[in-house]
Amino acid sequence: MAIISQIHTQKSGWQTAVLFTLMFWLSGSLILDTIVMPVLYTSGMMDESGFAAAGYSLFWVFNRIELLCAAVILTGILIHCHRLNGQRRLDQKPIFLAAILLVVALIYTYGLTPQMSSLGLQLNLFNSTVEPPVLMNSLHAGYWLLELLKLGGGAILLKTCLDYSEPIVQ
C-alpha cells in the first residue's frame, strides 16, 4: 500500500494577528489622510485658532495606536520568522520592513506631531491673521514622504505575509 500524504497550509495565530493589524493600520491611515484631514481643511477649521490643539489631540491618539500596531507587527514577524527558521532559509525582508514601520511610527509620535503642533499654536491673541511658518511646509513634506514609505512598506509586508504559510503534513 502506498501512503499518501497531503500537505496543507495554515496561517499561524501571529501571522493572522499581523495581517489584521496591518490592514487596520493601513486603512486607518488612508481614512485619516484622504477623508478626515481634507474635510477639516475644506471646512475652514485649519484657519481657526484652536486647530493646532485639536489636531494634536487627534494625532496624539492616532500616533499611539500606530505605535501599538507597529509593535504587534514587529513582534508577530519576529515570532513567525523564528518559527520558520528551521523549515527554510530565514528571510530578512519582513523583519526589515516591520522595523521600518516601527521607526516611522516613532518619528511621527515623538518628532513630527509635537513639532508641527508647536509651530501651529497661536501664541499672540491680538494678532488675528497668522501666517504658517516656512518650516511647516518642510515638515508637511517630511510627513508625506514618511506616509508614502509607511503605506508602501506596509503593502509589501502585507503581500509578504499573505504569501507565507506553514506546511502541515497529514
Side-chain angles (χ1 to χ4, degrees), residues 2-149:
I3 298 175
I4 299 173
S5 67
Q6 296 177 350
I7 297 178
H8 299 282
T9 58
Q10 177 183 7
K11 299 209 180 299
S12 70
W14 276 105
Q15 190 176 6
T16 305
V18 166
L19 287 171
F20 282 120
T21 305
L22 263 170
M23 289 186 285
F24 170 74
W25 185 13
L26 295 178
S27 64
S29 289
L30 286 172
I31 288 171
L32 189 69
D33 291 337
T34 59
I35 296 173
V36 174
M37 292 311 289
V39 166
L40 292 177
Y41 182 75
T42 57
S43 68
M45 187 175 172
M46 289 189 173
D47 296 332
E48 299 290 325
S49 61
F51 178 73
Y56 183 74
S57 298
L58 174 73
F59 280 99
W60 190 92
V61 172
F62 190 74
N63 287 338
R64 275 28 179 214
I65 292 171
E66 281 189 314
L67 281 176
L68 183 63
C69 289
V72 168
I73 290 166
L74 182 58
T75 302
I77 293 293
L78 287 172
I79 289 172
H80 186 69
C81 287
H82 177 71
R83 291 176 71 193
L84 291 179
N85 194 14
Q87 296 175 3
R88 57 177 109 158
R89 191 178 74 77
L90 183 63
D91 190 10
Q92 298 292 326
K93 184 174 76 169
I95 297 171
F96 178 72
L97 288 172
I100 291 289
L101 291 177
L102 180 63
V103 168
V104 167
L106 286 168
I107 290 171
Y108 281 160
T109 304
Y110 299 112
L112 279 177
T113 300
Q115 185 71 22
M116 290 171 85
S117 297
S118 67
L119 285 176
L121 285 177
Q122 182 180 2
L123 299 177
N124 187 355
L125 296 176
F126 301 112
N127 188 2
S128 62
T129 59
V130 177
E131 294 293 322
V134 177
L135 180 59
M136 188 67 87
N137 291 332
S138 62
L139 290 175
H140 277 119
Y143 171 82
W144 285 108
L145 286 174
L146 286 174
E147 194 69 15
L148 289 174
L149 178 68

